[in-house]
Amino acid sequence: MERHDAVGHFASIAADYSAYRPTYPAALFDWLAAEAVGRDLAWDCGAGSGQATRALAERFAEVVATDVSRAQLAAGARTRGVHAWAAAAERSGIRTGRVDVITVAQALHWFDVAAFFEEVRRVARPRGLIVVWSYADPRLDGRPGAVLAAFADRVRSYWPPGRELVDTGYRTIALPFVERPVPNFSMTADWPLDAVIGYVGTWSAVGAYRDIHGVDPIVALRQELAPAWGDATQRRGIAWTLSVRAARV
């Protein structure tokens, strides 16, 4: 995550973000590594606590992970070959013409996209690859899914500006590069009740609700979701559709 007006929110939930955000599919990283012009250096921009960084480190010799939130970067586990520092997306501090792949995982809506794309042009190798992706509300079957969907509707108006870009899968953002076709990818998890509650607690809409009303809406969500869930240790399938776009620079 990025954008300076969100630093405080994401700093306060850095540990939860690392613990409760879902893991991106290995197939996505296998695909982008195969499409890359090289495997020397990847830049994970808006890296947060490193959900994408760790997967990139398994496929590239070096990875630069940047984010404006030092707390988010500190919450990520250190991995061989990863260089992490606090920097805005638009001013990365990376040397010119070095990067094989630039990734932005669930963070592009926090950027000044025009300035960021100029930075992409500066740091990318010729025909370097930029891959951006997002995911919106999860799918959860049965009565628990209905409760979660109702809660998402209840807090929807509290999302910060830019959330509409996530809801449209970044399709309304013009990529000023040569766009590439991308396979379909999805993200899945089998979670107990506490994991779902923890994940929803990382939503910036939930943080905004708390700030405005002085009430934590997660308390009410747990009260509504627990009876529908049953045994809290039971794991249920939850899924997100990934909207992925890729282009040659």
Side-chain angles (χ1 to χ4, degrees):
M1 288 295 174
E2 282 264 338
R3 205 165 72 192
H4 294 277
D5 60 2
V7 171
H9 167 68
F10 288 108
S12 68
I13 62 164
D16 286 347
Y17 206 92
S18 179
Y20 293 119
R21 283 285 167 143
T23 302
Y24 301 117
L28 169 61
F29 297 98
D30 290 341
W31 175 82
L32 68 83
E35 290 286 313
V37 293
R39 298 198 185 183
D40 295 324
L41 180 62
W43 174 25
D44 187 19
C45 185
S49 52
Q51 282 86 354
T53 305
R54 290 184 288 274
L56 290 169
E58 295 173 359
R59 295 161 176 84
F60 290 83
E62 293 184 280
V63 180
V64 170
T66 64
D67 199 284
V68 293
S69 172
R70 287 182 172 83
Q72 282 272 34
L73 292 171
R78 284 291 167 263
T79 304
R80 182 183 58 82
V82 173
H83 313 280
W85 62 74
E90 304 83 7
R91 299 177 301 281
S92 68
I94 298 171
R95 289 170 57 187
T96 299
R98 290 284 312 281
V99 181
D100 298 303
V101 169
I102 298 102
T103 59
V104 183
Q106 192 73 352
L108 189 63
H109 53 293
W110 294 107
F111 298 174
D112 175 340
V113 292
F116 168 64
F117 290 147
E118 286 302 312
E119 182 72 345
V120 168
R121 285 191 178 93
R122 185 186 69 79
V123 304
R125 289 178 56 186
R127 300 189 73 250
L129 189 69
I130 177 171
V131 186
V132 303
W133 64 87
S134 64
Y135 59 93
D137 293 348
R139 300 186 305 277
L140 179 64
D141 290 338
R143 178 61 185 159
V147 172
L148 185 58
F151 177 83
D153 286 341
R154 197 154 67 239
V155 301
R156 195 170 304 281
S157 63
Y158 295 89
W159 286 107
R163 169 67 186 195
E164 68 278 4
L165 300 174
V166 173
D167 291 335
T168 58
Y170 294 156
R171 297 294 165 187
T172 57
I173 297 176
L175 293 182
F177 309 113
V178 182
E179 195 149 5
R180 301 272 300 158
V182 179
N184 293 325
F185 296 104
S186 61
M187 188 164 54
T188 61
D190 290 308
W191 279 351
L193 175 61
D194 282 349
V196 174
I197 294 292
Y199 159 68
V200 175
T202 68
W203 292 1
S204 51
V206 169
Y209 189 103
R210 289 190 193 106
D211 292 343
I212 292 169
H213 298 287
V215 174
D216 188 353
I218 293 298
V219 174
L221 174 62
R222 183 181 288 277
Q223 291 173 345
E224 296 166 4
L225 193 55
W229 197 278
D231 179 359
T233 64
Q234 180 182 352
R235 292 179 175 270
R236 296 180 181 271
I238 187 167
W240 302 258
T241 298
L242 286 179
S243 176
V244 184
R245 299 179 67 189
R248 295 275 181 211
V249 180

